[in-house]
Amino acid sequence: MGWLETYRGTVFRWEVDHNDHLTVAYYFTRIADAGAGLLAAVGLPVATAHTEDCFVRYQRELRVGDLMHMESGVISVAPDALVLGHRLIDSGAGVLCTTVEQRIRLAGPLTAAAGRAVEARRAAWDAPARERRPRPDGLAGFRDSARDTVKPAEVDVLGGAALAHYIHRFSAANGHAIAAFGMTPAYMREEHRGFSTFEFQLDLGSPLRSGDGVRVRSAVRHVGNSSLRLLHVMTREPGEEVVATLEQSGVHFDQDARRPAPLPDALRELARTLLVKEA
């Protein structure tokens, strides 16, 4: 059986960002829908599953009005965990736009019947492999980049914060983090530039609930000719419990040419002064 269609829709006007393409939080809304659809297809209640991490690779942008669909399959199986693979496709062009690996932790071991259903949805996976990079020891050098609470409308069927909640907060954090070296909203409007993500590694800890306070701190981890990598760490407030991290790789983006553009020398040099390396 293999691949199963788990989503079909379009890019709505209110879902685009300042680069005029589908913003990442709405990709994650589709990922959550696709994961729930695949779990239902193999007879696993969504309420018994929790997303532990997602690795996302963006290969082609989607813009307002573009049609899209998602195919999902099982790419790895453990006694109490699954890794789901999702392929988001531009339906009009018939081109692969995004690949996702979603690790799901189950409430208990698979039954024999569920195991057979899962195996029937095994799919070949040839997407780019994720790279687990070293992380800094602690938050020295990280800067405050977001502070907020979980809203009631942002919880999922399990009662915890939905995937899109995390991405909305991390997107806001990224804006503050890159403004620190000159990529301010004013700069991007005047120069027709933006920050366009091409890779995400999201890791989740214990669930957040409606009303929980969150704080995000961010650090620059890599500066290239046009590329940037940042690490965002979300903690539950009050306290220092880490509830999510996001490693985000992107490029300085020319909004007119729709392609990466070299960072201006002044911005690149200032960004390098903010680099935080592993201990």
Side-chain angles (χ1 to χ4, degrees):
M1 297 168 66
W3 295 104
L4 173 72
E5 184 175 300
T6 48
Y7 176 84
R8 184 169 289 268
T10 188
V11 179
F12 295 102
R13 168 62 65 183
W14 60 86
E15 296 179 321
V16 300
D17 59 16
H18 62 283
N19 289 316
D20 200 32
H21 56 210
L22 181 62
T23 193
V24 291
Y26 291 107
Y27 278 97
F28 272 79
T29 299
R30 270 72 170 192
I31 292 166
D33 290 341
L38 184 55
L39 290 174
V42 298
L44 293 173
V46 176
T48 65
H50 169 69
T51 298
E52 289 189 325
D53 67 60
C54 286
F55 174 67
V56 184
R57 181 81 178 185
Y58 301 97
Q59 301 176 30
R60 176 188 173 100
E61 65 178 348
L62 286 163
R63 306 189 69 182
V64 171
D66 280 347
L67 303 174
M68 57 183 165
H69 65 278
M70 190 175 289
E71 300 172 342
S72 304
V74 177
I75 58 177
S76 179
V77 181
D80 61 350
L82 302 173
V83 178
L84 310 182
H86 308 291
R87 304 189 300 196
L88 183 61
I89 297 166
D90 181 328
S91 306
V95 176
L96 179 68
C97 296
T98 305
T99 59
V100 183
E101 294 179 40
Q102 181 186 14
R103 185 179 304 276
I104 301 285
R105 180 65 58 183
L106 304 175
L110 289 169
T111 64
R116 289 191 294 271
V118 165
E119 288 298 333
R121 286 295 173 190
R122 284 273 197 172
W125 189 248
D126 58 359
R130 71 174 76 189
E131 179 184 353
R132 289 284 189 176
R133 301 179 180 92
R135 298 285 177 88
D137 184 12
L139 295 175
F142 282 65
R143 294 167 174 258
D144 280 325
S145 52
R147 193 185 296 268
D148 207 339
T149 58
V150 181
K151 307 302 188 290
E154 296 180 312
V155 300
D156 60 19
V157 296
L158 300 177
L163 292 178
H165 155 81
Y166 295 95
I167 304 305
H168 279 304
R169 300 313 185 277
F170 285 134
S171 293
N174 185 69
H176 283 269
I178 63 177
F181 56 82
M183 282 187 67
T184 63
Y187 162 81
M188 291 189 280
R189 283 192 293 267
E190 292 166 5
E191 301 298 326
H192 292 196
R193 297 293 187 263
F195 181 90
S196 182
T197 301
F198 63 82
E199 187 177 285
F200 263 180
Q201 174 64 54
L202 173 68
D203 293 284
L204 300 177
S206 60
L208 290 164
R209 303 295 177 185
S210 177
D212 281 352
V214 296
R215 176 186 182 187
V216 182
R217 281 161 281 189
S218 304
V220 179
R221 301 284 285 130
H222 166 80
V223 180
N225 182 49
S226 63
S227 63
L228 296 159
R229 186 171 73 251
L230 296 100
L231 179 62
H232 310 287
V233 178
M234 180 183 291
T235 53
R236 193 192 311 267
E237 290 283 281
E240 294 293 318
E241 179 194 0
V242 175
V243 292
T245 63
L246 181 75
E247 187 173 69
Q248 180 178 12
S249 298
V251 293
H252 181 250
F253 185 70
D254 184 324
Q255 295 174 342
D256 296 323
R258 314 305 299 175
R259 59 183 298 171
L263 280 162
D265 291 341
L267 269 65
R268 184 185 302 106
E269 292 310 309
L270 182 54
R272 284 175 174 161
T273 68
L274 301 177
L275 279 168
V276 174
K277 299 181 179 180
E278 60 269 16

